[in-house]
Amino acid sequence: MLTRDFYFDLPEALIAQRPSPVRGEDKLMVLDRFTGSVSHCVMAELPNFIKSGTLMVFNNSRVRRVRVYGIKETTGREQEFMFLNQLDESGALWNVMVKNAKKQKGGMRYAFPDGSVGTIIEDAKNARTEFRSLRFERALNEAWFEKNGHMPLPPYIKRSDELLDAERYQTVYAKETGSAACPTAGLHFTERMLQTLSQNGIDIAWVTLHVGLGTFLPVRETEIEKHKMHEEMYTIPEETASKVNEAKREGRTVLAVGTTSVRTLESACTENAIVQAGTGSTHIFMYPGYTFKVVDEMFTNFHTPESTLLMLVSAFAGRENILSAYKEAVANRYRFFSYGDAMLITHGSAR
């Protein structure tokens, strides 16, 4: 299957540069994954489309302020770093994504706003990638990122982060810090919406998958089967695994909120369709032909052309159904990507 099979024409004006004025006041498209039928709604109507007894699974990862600017000691030039994850138990060695990576050589030193200094460490496996290893003299903690960092808005948001992003680029239920990008499907949910869902007999469970910036890397292969996915860490609590397995045994719907929740549940599932609790890593790549073992319905945003996320939702609802729905979304001026509008993919015709 070719990457270009997942292209669609998207006017730049539809790429949301800011969140809606009020959280949760967004458009909602409801797509039947089997028939391809589409309904145009708003987020306030979401509970009307979710059957009582459904289990909704949310990713409670919290975004770290990982965009940090350092000054190169030899030139005084500013350099942007995106801190992804620590590489050893000391907390002083970090994996970073860096612009103009080819120019970043081992031994180069950068001073950060609080005066701390990071040194690029030579690492052969990173030589031809966007990533580098950066070592500090002491461990970096959350206070360091809060003091030195900026919210890591996606590359298609063409502005610097602002005060409002500190709130709006986090879900209201964000708890476990570690993501380099927000699990953005959850941005549409308010405390009031969560209460309404609960009152309607809808159960809620939590997983944690820390989103890496690899989610924004383009598919450079012509044939998608050759693409190598980035790796991300996840945790599934015992209570969540029990709830999911119970729902599957009883024939109740499992609705994953966001592609990160989908990837977590499907990665932790055995061949016998049992979700296992615990911590692990995943580089699962879902594209048309993948058989979903856990997830029955999905709540998600509108994704970029030719992206792995678009391939994932195409695997779930069919490429033709997704591209047709996206064409309708463009015609109806839906807002796309992280700060954009939402889609609920149901299995309505299978009920």
Side-chain angles (χ1 to χ4, degrees):
M1 190 168 288
L2 302 178
T3 300
R4 67 168 180 262
D5 293 335
F6 297 88
Y7 176 81
F8 65 93
D9 188 30
L10 177 67
E12 188 172 348
L14 297 185
I15 301 174
Q17 296 298 307
R18 296 179 179 276
S20 56
V22 178
R23 188 190 292 267
E25 293 188 359
D26 304 294
K27 291 181 181 179
L28 172 67
M29 176 183 285
V30 180
L31 169 67
D32 187 311
R33 62 183 289 205
F34 295 109
T35 69
S37 65
V38 163
S39 300
H40 299 285
C41 312
V42 294
M43 267 300 294
E45 299 175 83
L46 176 66
N48 300 337
F49 295 94
I50 303 177
K51 186 178 180 180
S52 180
T54 294
L55 174 64
M56 295 184 71
V57 181
F58 293 79
N59 180 8
N60 65 3
S61 182
R62 185 173 184 82
V63 182
R64 178 180 282 141
R65 300 174 72 91
V66 298
R67 176 179 277 122
V68 190
Y69 295 91
I71 302 298
K72 191 174 181 179
E73 286 191 342
T74 56
T75 65
R77 291 181 179 177
E78 185 177 74
Q79 178 66 50
E80 177 185 295
F81 295 90
M82 301 291 273
F83 286 70
L84 302 182
N85 56 280
Q86 63 184 59
L87 293 173
D88 62 9
E89 294 183 359
S90 74
L93 182 63
W94 283 77
N95 179 36
V96 298
M97 181 183 285
V98 56
K99 288 187 175 180
N100 300 315
K102 291 181 180 179
K103 297 181 179 180
Q104 309 307 315
K105 308 296 184 182
M108 289 182 173
R109 290 164 52 90
Y110 291 87
F112 291 88
D114 69 337
S116 57
V117 175
T119 304
I120 293 180
I121 304 301
E122 199 71 51
D123 189 341
K125 71 179 181 180
N126 286 337
R128 297 184 179 182
T129 71
E130 298 91 345
F131 307 101
R132 292 292 182 269
S133 299
L134 196 62
R135 183 181 293 282
F136 291 78
E137 295 178 353
R138 61 180 177 85
L140 306 186
N141 55 25
E142 294 309 320
W144 188 90
F145 286 103
E146 286 295 319
K147 182 177 182 179
N148 293 279
H150 297 259
M151 292 300 282
L153 297 180
Y156 42 72
I157 293 181
K158 306 299 184 183
R159 62 176 177 83
S160 299
D161 66 308
E162 302 171 4
L163 186 60
L164 71 87
D165 298 304
E167 175 197 1
R168 294 300 300 275
Y169 198 61
Q170 298 277 18
T171 63
V172 298
Y173 48 79
K175 181 180 179 182
E176 305 293 339
T177 301
S179 277
C182 184
T184 53
L187 293 178
H188 301 280
F189 290 85
T190 62
E191 293 287 358
R192 183 175 181 180
M193 173 62 76
L194 294 173
Q195 292 171 3
T196 298
L197 292 169
S198 182
Q199 291 166 359
N200 286 8
I202 295 159
D203 200 2
I204 290 175
W206 309 98
V207 298
T208 303
L209 182 140
H210 292 315
V211 187
L213 290 174
T215 192
F216 300 121
L217 291 178
V219 178
R220 297 190 175 97
E221 301 287 350
T222 300
E223 299 176 3
I224 66 174
E225 293 86 352
K226 296 179 180 179
H227 177 69
K228 302 298 183 184
M229 283 291 288
H230 56 286
E231 187 173 59
E232 294 170 318
M233 299 297 298
Y234 69 83
T235 299
I236 299 180
E238 290 281 357
E239 181 182 8
T240 295
S242 296
K243 282 187 174 185
V244 173
N245 292 329
E246 183 180 9
K248 298 303 290 184
R249 284 196 304 270
E250 295 176 353
R252 292 185 286 117
T253 298
V254 174
L255 195 169
V257 176
T259 57
T260 58
S261 296
V262 174
R263 297 183 75 233
T264 300
L265 293 173
E266 295 292 325
S267 296
C269 185
T270 68
E271 293 182 0
N272 297 324
I274 301 297
V275 171
Q276 297 180 313
T279 296
S281 63
T282 178
H283 49 78
I284 190 171
F285 182 18
M286 288 174 271
Y287 52 86
Y290 178 83
T291 300
F292 288 81
K293 300 182 287 293
V294 182
V295 178
D296 303 302
E297 297 187 335
M298 187 190 311
F299 182 93
T300 186
N301 280 9
F302 290 90
H303 305 294
T304 55
E306 298 184 340
S307 65
T308 59
L309 301 182
L310 183 63
M311 294 169 191
L312 186 155
V313 296
S314 295
F316 191 69
R319 187 181 71 91
E320 293 78 11
N321 288 344
I322 288 293
L323 291 181
S324 176
Y326 273 45
K327 184 176 181 180
E328 197 162 332
V330 169
N332 285 272
R333 308 293 293 177
Y334 278 69
R335 300 167 75 239
F336 278 68
F337 310 159
S338 296
Y339 274 151
D341 294 313
M343 172 183 280
L344 174 65
I345 306 176
T346 73
H347 61 174
S349 62
R351 292 179 179 176

